[in-house]
């Protein structure tokens, strides 16, 4: 399956494949979490994400565009079709994610790319103290209306 291949490539590139776990695995959506062995500096997190998306051949999206918000809405619907989530959908909650990590004393960056009909969302975060691993969360999703 293409989404698993893409996820495997990203986790391999980040040296986060070993010990990674799928948080959700459906035919159209894969969410994977892991810890990278790489020692990426906080100021390099954004460029690392951009390089990964470029290496995949994706078109990197502006995180604050209507197109990205529409994609997050579709991904949210895919998740809600599998998991009972109470409360209203809040597609803009993803934008508060970085602030939440920073409030927990972490550096965080995220990015999204589009490869034909597949969306790739990557978030990287690590403790500001410099101690501990680089955490990776990855969402790879077929976009279907």
């Amino acid at each position: 399956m293409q989404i698993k291949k893409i996820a495997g490539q990203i986790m391999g590139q980040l040296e986060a494949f070993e010990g990674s776990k799928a948080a959700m695995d459906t035919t159209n959506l894969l969410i994977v979490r892991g810890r990278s062995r790489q020692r990426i500096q906080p100021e390099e997190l954004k460029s690392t994400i951009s390089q990964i998306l470029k290496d995949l051949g994706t078109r990197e999206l502006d995180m604050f565009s209507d197109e990205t918000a529409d994609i997050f809405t579709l991904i949210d619907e895919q998740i809600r079709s599998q998991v009972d989530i109470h409360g209203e959908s809040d597609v803009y909650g993803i934008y508060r994610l970085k602030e939440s990590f920073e409030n927990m004393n972490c550096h965080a960056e995220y990015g999204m790319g589009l490869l034909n009909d597949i969306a790739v969302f990557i978030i990287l975060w690590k403790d500001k103290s410099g101690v501990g691993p680089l955490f990776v969360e990855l969402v790879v999703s077929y976009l279907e209306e």
Side-chain angles (χ1 to χ4, degrees), residues 82-123:
Q82 300 294 316
V83 179
D84 186 28
I85 299 175
H86 300 288
E88 296 295 316
S89 180
D90 179 14
V91 69
Y92 298 104
I94 198 74
Y95 303 122
R96 292 187 298 277
L97 184 63
K98 183 176 176 182
E99 184 179 315
S100 296
F101 278 116
E102 289 171 349
N103 288 338
M104 294 186 300
N105 205 35
C106 293
H107 296 284
E109 289 292 343
Y110 51 58
M112 179 175 274
L114 195 56
L115 179 64
N116 302 319
D117 62 343
I118 298 174
V120 178
F121 175 70
I122 305 168
I123 181 161

Side-chain angles (χ1 to χ4, degrees), residues 10-145:
I10 293 168
M11 296 305 274
Q13 190 170 347
L14 287 167
E15 296 178 40
F17 195 82
E18 185 177 321
S20 64
K21 293 186 170 112
M24 182 173 283
D25 185 358
T26 70
T27 20
N28 293 323
L29 177 79
L30 179 60
I31 301 173
V32 181
R33 295 180 180 138
R35 291 180 294 191
S36 174
R37 289 195 232 150
Q38 294 181 355
R39 298 286 178 218
I40 300 171
Q41 297 303 309
E43 61 276 3
E44 296 171 346
L45 294 176
K46 187 68 176 164
S47 63
T48 298
I49 292 168
S50 292
Q51 187 62 51
I52 289 168
L53 294 173
K54 181 181 177 183
D55 291 349
L56 285 172
T58 69
R59 175 173 58 91
E60 190 168 358
L61 302 178
D62 176 357
M63 289 301 296
F64 299 99
S65 70
D66 289 339
E67 180 181 22
T68 300
D70 291 344
I71 291 170
F72 279 130
T73 299
L74 287 171
I75 291 171
D76 183 65
E77 289 171 6
Q78 290 175 340
I79 293 170
R80 287 174 183 269
S81 74
Q82 300 294 316
V83 179
D84 186 28
I85 299 175
H86 300 288
E88 296 295 316
S89 180
D90 179 14
V91 69
Y92 298 104
I94 198 74
Y95 303 122
R96 292 187 298 277
L97 184 63
K98 183 176 176 182
E99 184 179 315
S100 296
F101 278 116
E102 289 171 349
N103 288 338
M104 294 186 300
N105 205 35
C106 293
H107 296 284
E109 289 292 343
Y110 51 58
M112 179 175 274
L114 195 56
L115 179 64
N116 302 319
D117 62 343
I118 298 174
V120 178
F121 175 70
I122 305 168
I123 181 161
L124 303 176
W125 74 95
K126 64 187 294 178
D127 192 279
K128 285 184 178 178
S129 70
V131 176
L134 171 68
F135 293 96
V136 178
E137 186 155 344
L138 173 63
V139 178
V140 184
S141 173
Y142 283 111
L143 300 179
E144 53 180 29
E145 300 294 333

